Amino acid sequence: MSFARPNCLGGTLTPFLYPAFFELPLAAVTRRCPLRTRFPHQFRCNSTAAEQSDAHLDTHASRLDPAADDYALTPFADRCILTVEAGGGGHGCVSFLKEKYIEEGPANGGDGGSGGNVYIQAVRGETSLHKLARRRLIKAGRGRNGQGKVKGGERGTDILITVPIGTIVRELQRHDPIAFMEEEHWKMEQEEEEEEVAEGQRSYRKDRWLVYPGTIASELTRMKFPKLPPPRRSHLAALEPPAPMWLDLDKHMETPLLIAAGAMGGLGNPHFMTPFNSRPKMATRGDEGLKISLQLELKILADLGLVGLPNAGKSTLLRALSNSRARVGNWAFTTLQPNVGTVVLDNHKGRPLVTSRRRNGELRENFTIADVPGLIEDAHLDKGLGLGFLRHIERAAVLAFVIDLSAGDAVQALKLLWREVSEYETLRGKELNAETERRMVTYRPAGTTFPPGDKSDLLDSPHLNPSPEPLPFLSSTPISSKPWFVVAAKADKPDTQANYVALQQYLDQVSKGTLPHPSNRKHAWKRDVQAVPISAIQGEGTQAIPQLMMDLLDE
């Protein structure tokens, strides 16, 4: 019995197309691969359990302490301006019945199809708005035109926009063609009532009418156009949020929300038949779709936000807790944009890491972590990476202050971080007050008075179609009122035990009220603040963070 085929086939596709051609009998396998030297690429011996465990440890260590170029840069955007446009309606059809014994049949043109709708839905799994920021314009499908034999046009394709949970949708401006048509139609009716316009005196409008192909200009002047039908809105328009739109999508949505209903299609020529004209040569065009410019902004960036000085070990901690491939290195500002990772609590393959339920009773399967770029002193004055990243901190439900135990006094580092966060919170409060005063300014010309309670003098931010109701602000919980804890990183380095003990004593005194909160704010959160010593690069001590995180989320 032969054990293998000649080696001359090794350079062909035979091993891939016919793998059984190179198989060995069971006796050859029991002799621990004796032909391995002759055919090294065809046989593989099983490694021992010790070798597998060593390989696993090597892989784990290399992932936490990778090379400088071993990282994946995830696109990220937490705000964007997006223009959505509902689908326009299809045109009506000008058609006539044509049969063998009917030379000039009546009109049988179909109506145009309605345009597609635009929906929005907040779903789990989305962590960024970068996909929408790249598109800028999202347009639903246009309805198909009507056809002969009274065949109506097909509806346009609907569009679904998926956003992360915690997205704020605010309307910037709106272009509603139907509103202009309704106003124009009302004015025309007023004029016709005053002037009593006859049936044949209405002129041809290119933007509203379609005529039979081949109709010349001289014939258009002799045609009698009927009265334009009133503008129509889709019955789904009643489901749209009131303008100006302001949505707080802070929960997972099982069904999408309609934000722009498609326009109605045009009418076919049978709608304009009269006892004196059974063959009208005109149909109406489809309406244009609603166009809205929206500002999307993430109010809740992640469940846990990592705050710390540069090179404190935040990205390494993110790698240790999740499968993120954030850039790490032994230099400052390795992170230039927030990285969002997901910590899986229950992958439905065994016992979950931590058992926790949401407020609605649903079992929590994961939570998200945001690695915010490092803060430096006077970051609230837009130094370093500045205010753009302090803004991300206020969008996390729980804060984790990552302190490097080997980089000096841990208590002073914690106070420095809280000082920057507190100063930024003060700046945000001043901006909010200034914006409120600007919105509530009233303008009253000299010699004029307004009745009390009249909202016509309330100035709002500039919109194409301003609403008497001012837009609500993007409000969130103050940063000092959020639950927080301290991650004492790099605890495996020598001479860090005393620094950790001093940090723990300081946090105990803050929790008991003996010492003030690091932010020096009156209503700051200081209920049983804890410090977790870890070595992220070794993967040690990080197992306690998910349970602590779930306890704080429940509070």
Side-chain angles (χ1 to χ4, degrees):
M1 181 182 295
S2 60
F3 290 96
R5 298 295 185 260
N7 200 18
C8 61
L9 300 177
T12 66
L13 293 177
T14 304
F16 302 95
L17 299 178
Y18 305 98
F21 188 74
F22 286 84
E23 287 183 353
L24 289 177
L26 183 60
V29 179
T30 57
R31 289 195 292 269
R32 298 188 56 141
C33 307
L35 301 181
R36 184 181 178 92
T37 56
R38 294 176 56 189
F39 302 97
H41 300 289
Q42 301 299 329
F43 310 107
R44 180 180 299 171
C45 295
N46 294 330
S47 61
T48 61
E51 292 174 350
Q52 292 179 353
S53 62
D54 293 341
H56 175 73
L57 291 176
D58 293 341
T59 305
H60 184 69
S62 62
R63 195 179 69 82
L64 297 180
D65 188 16
D69 57 347
D70 183 13
Y71 67 95
L73 188 61
T74 305
F76 179 82
D78 64 341
R79 61 167 58 180
C80 68
I81 294 179
L82 184 68
T83 301
V84 298
E85 183 175 354
H91 303 319
C93 178
V94 181
S95 176
F96 305 98
L97 177 65
K98 296 181 180 179
E99 300 256 343
K100 182 176 181 181
Y101 298 103
I102 303 177
E103 295 183 0
E104 295 183 353
N108 68 346
D111 298 340
S114 57
N117 308 317
V118 181
Y119 298 88
I120 192 169
Q121 185 177 12
V123 297
R124 300 190 188 96
E126 296 284 346
T127 57
S128 174
L129 298 173
H130 68 277
K131 299 177 183 178
L132 300 177
R134 287 199 293 252
R135 296 185 64 176
R136 296 296 181 93
L137 174 64
I138 295 181
K139 186 175 181 180
R142 186 178 184 88
R144 298 293 183 88
N145 298 336
Q147 302 179 19
K149 299 182 181 180
V150 202
K151 291 183 178 179
E154 188 178 342
R155 283 189 66 250
T157 306
D158 295 339
I159 293 296
L160 175 62
I161 303 174
T162 57
V163 296
I165 298 175
T167 301
I168 298 293
V169 181
R170 291 187 283 191
E171 178 182 324
L172 298 179
Q173 59 186 21
R174 173 185 295 252
H175 175 66
D176 191 357
I178 306 300
F180 292 110
M181 292 172 60
E182 290 174 346
E183 183 179 357
E184 181 184 9
H185 182 78
W186 180 80
K187 291 181 179 179
M188 291 178 60
E189 284 187 342
Q190 297 295 326
E191 294 176 356
E192 290 181 359
E193 289 180 0
E194 297 176 357
E195 301 178 2
E196 296 182 359
V197 179
E199 182 73 17
Q201 294 180 0
R202 297 183 178 90
S203 60
Y204 166 70
R205 292 186 53 179
K206 187 176 181 180
D207 60 331
R208 300 294 300 275
W209 290 107
L210 281 174
V211 296
Y212 191 75
T215 303
I216 59 178
S218 60
E219 188 177 356
L220 280 176
T221 58
R222 297 193 303 267
M223 289 179 60
K224 297 181 179 181
F225 286 90
K227 180 181 178 180
L228 278 170
R232 300 174 300 156
R233 287 187 183 271
S234 171
H235 62 281
L236 296 177
L239 302 177
E240 296 178 356
M245 191 182 308
W246 193 93
L247 305 174
D248 187 357
L249 308 179
D250 58 348
K251 297 180 181 178
H252 174 76
M253 302 171 59
E254 297 294 341
T255 57
L257 175 66
L258 175 68
I259 58 175
M264 298 295 294
L267 301 177
N269 58 341
H271 290 272
F272 308 103
M273 294 176 61
T274 64
F276 307 101
N277 184 12
S278 62
R279 293 173 56 84
K281 295 184 177 181
M282 73 283 293
T284 58
R285 295 179 179 270
D287 300 332
E288 296 182 12
L290 173 66
K291 184 182 294 185
I292 308 176
S293 180
L294 302 174
Q295 180 192 31
L296 276 64
E297 187 172 0
L298 283 178
K299 182 180 73 171
I300 301 176
L301 180 63
D303 297 320
L304 178 63
L306 303 181
V307 185
L309 297 172
N311 200 25
K314 301 183 297 297
S315 299
T316 308
L317 176 60
L318 180 64
R319 276 182 171 248
L321 290 174
S322 65
N323 289 329
S324 173
R325 291 188 58 200
R327 188 176 191 180
V328 298
N330 194 17
W331 64 87
F333 297 112
T334 56
T335 302
L336 299 178
Q337 67 176 18
N339 295 314
V340 180
T342 302
V343 179
V344 178
L345 301 177
D346 187 4
N347 56 5
H348 305 289
K349 293 183 180 180
R351 187 173 181 179
L353 182 63
V354 177
T355 302
S356 177
R357 294 188 179 274
R358 305 179 189 271
R359 293 184 178 180
N360 57 0
E362 183 181 357
L363 189 66
R364 189 186 297 271
E365 299 177 1
N366 52 54
F367 68 91
T368 54
I369 303 179
D371 173 23
V372 181
L375 304 179
I376 64 173
E377 189 173 1
D378 293 336
H380 68 281
L381 301 177
D382 211 8
K383 292 186 178 181
L385 296 180
L387 299 175
F389 298 105
L390 277 167
R391 178 166 45 88
H392 300 308
I393 298 176
E394 64 179 343
R395 300 182 189 171
V398 180
L399 299 181
F401 289 85
V402 183
I403 305 296
D404 185 1
L405 294 179
S406 63
D409 191 352
V411 176
Q412 293 300 324
L414 179 62
K415 290 181 178 180
L416 172 62
L417 292 174
W418 263 116
R419 187 176 72 86
E420 298 303 324
V421 172
S422 178
E423 292 293 337
Y424 172 75
E425 187 176 345
T426 302
L427 288 177
R428 288 285 291 172
K430 292 181 180 179
E431 292 177 0
L432 182 63
N433 294 335
E435 183 69 14
T436 304
E437 293 177 359
R438 189 188 69 82
R439 285 172 175 261
M440 299 304 295
V441 166
T442 57
Y443 170 70
R444 296 184 178 180
T448 60
T449 58
F450 292 95
D454 187 6
K455 296 185 178 180
S456 61
D457 57 353
L458 181 63
L459 296 183
D460 198 1
S461 56
H463 292 272
L464 290 185
N465 295 333
S467 170
E469 294 294 335
L471 291 178
F473 296 105
L474 180 61
S475 59
S476 61
T477 305
I479 303 179
S480 59
S481 301
K482 294 178 182 291
W484 61 282
F485 63 97
V486 177
V487 177
K490 304 181 183 179
D492 58 328
K493 292 191 175 182
D495 301 330
T496 58
Q497 290 80 4
N499 202 4
Y500 172 73
V501 171
L503 175 63
Q504 185 64 51
Q505 292 177 354
Y506 172 74
L507 295 178
D508 292 340
Q509 294 177 356
V510 170
S511 301
K512 295 177 182 179
T514 307
L515 293 178
H517 191 272
S519 63
N520 292 322
R521 293 188 175 270
K522 184 177 180 181
H523 300 288
W525 194 92
K526 51 183 180 180
R527 189 182 311 121
D528 192 19
V529 184
Q530 300 184 24
V532 182
I534 67 165
S535 174
I537 199 170
Q538 302 293 336
E540 299 175 354
T542 59
Q543 297 81 7
I545 294 180
Q547 182 63 58
L548 179 59
M549 174 64 186
M550 292 301 101
D551 295 340
L552 294 178
L553 279 180
D554 294 339
E555 294 185 9

